[in-house]
Amino acid sequence: MKIISVRAHPEYKDRAIKYIQDCWPEISPVIYDDCITHCIEATQALPQWYLLELNEELIGCAGLITNDFISRMDLYPWICAIFIDEKHRGNGYSLSLIEQAKQDTKTAGFKHLNLCTDHIGFYEKFGFTYIGQGYHPWEEESRIYQIEV
């Protein structure tokens, strides 16, 4: 298993865009295409996009971004788009992506990593603490979690 930074390995750009778009088909394809394309030559530490590869097959992904379409603009960075293919869940692979995001968060000089989700009980297992609700532009809300790096 290996974690691939799309920024460090731009040859994965097209595969990353397709994989992440396939994970969230309800999101306009231009969102991930634009963000991933521009992360490659970004001059600042964010955004970062990661792929998880096992035996040359992409099985997961995550992003490290400045805001996850949430009202708490005072909090950043955010880990987003955490996804593990269903047949590979239960093996701790999401923890590998979280640990990479935590490491990059710390390297960039941030003290906390944030996450918004509707899952209750999952991210707490990795040390995230619920800190409150946040609101999305599409009039939904999500739970906000934070972990110190």
Side-chain angles (χ1 to χ4, degrees):
M1 176 197 67
K2 68 179 176 178
I3 296 174
I4 299 157
S5 162
V6 179
R7 181 183 278 191
H9 297 278
E11 67 272 17
Y12 279 87
K13 180 188 89 162
D14 292 337
R15 287 182 67 197
I17 291 167
K18 181 176 180 353
Y19 183 83
I20 295 171
Q21 285 175 342
D22 288 348
C23 292
W24 286 277
E26 69 277 10
I27 304 292
S28 173
V30 72
I31 300 291
Y32 292 117
D33 186 322
D34 196 48
C35 189
I36 293 167
T37 296
H38 288 97
C39 90
I40 292 169
E41 295 186 24
T43 58
Q44 298 185 46
L46 301 175
Q48 292 279 348
W49 289 92
Y50 311 106
L51 296 172
L52 187 63
E53 188 177 69
L54 180 65
N55 301 324
E56 298 184 23
E57 175 190 2
L58 297 181
I59 65 162
C61 60
L64 182 60
I65 59 176
T66 57
N67 187 276
D68 199 6
F69 304 109
I70 193 105
S71 58
R72 292 294 305 271
M73 301 288 178
D74 60 310
L75 302 174
Y76 51 89
W78 296 80
I79 187 169
C80 71
I82 302 170
F83 184 84
I84 302 296
D85 287 347
E86 195 169 329
K87 68 183 179 181
H88 294 286
R89 292 179 186 166
N91 295 304
Y93 294 137
S94 57
L95 179 59
S96 298
L97 289 166
I98 291 167
E99 289 299 325
Q100 183 66 54
K102 285 173 56 180
Q103 179 182 344
D104 288 347
T105 297
K106 187 173 185 172
T107 299
F110 298 104
K111 296 174 77 173
H112 298 97
L113 177 60
N114 302 284
L115 165 74
C116 64
T117 185
D118 294 328
H119 295 289
I120 299 173
F122 183 73
Y123 293 102
E124 292 91 335
K125 292 186 286 188
F126 304 124
F128 282 87
T129 301
Y130 172 73
I131 62 167
Q133 294 294 112
Y135 305 93
H136 299 285
W138 51 89
E139 299 181 10
E140 291 181 8
E141 62 183 86
S142 289
R143 298 172 60 84
I144 297 175
Y145 290 85
Q146 188 175 75
I147 191 168
E148 189 171 328
V149 298

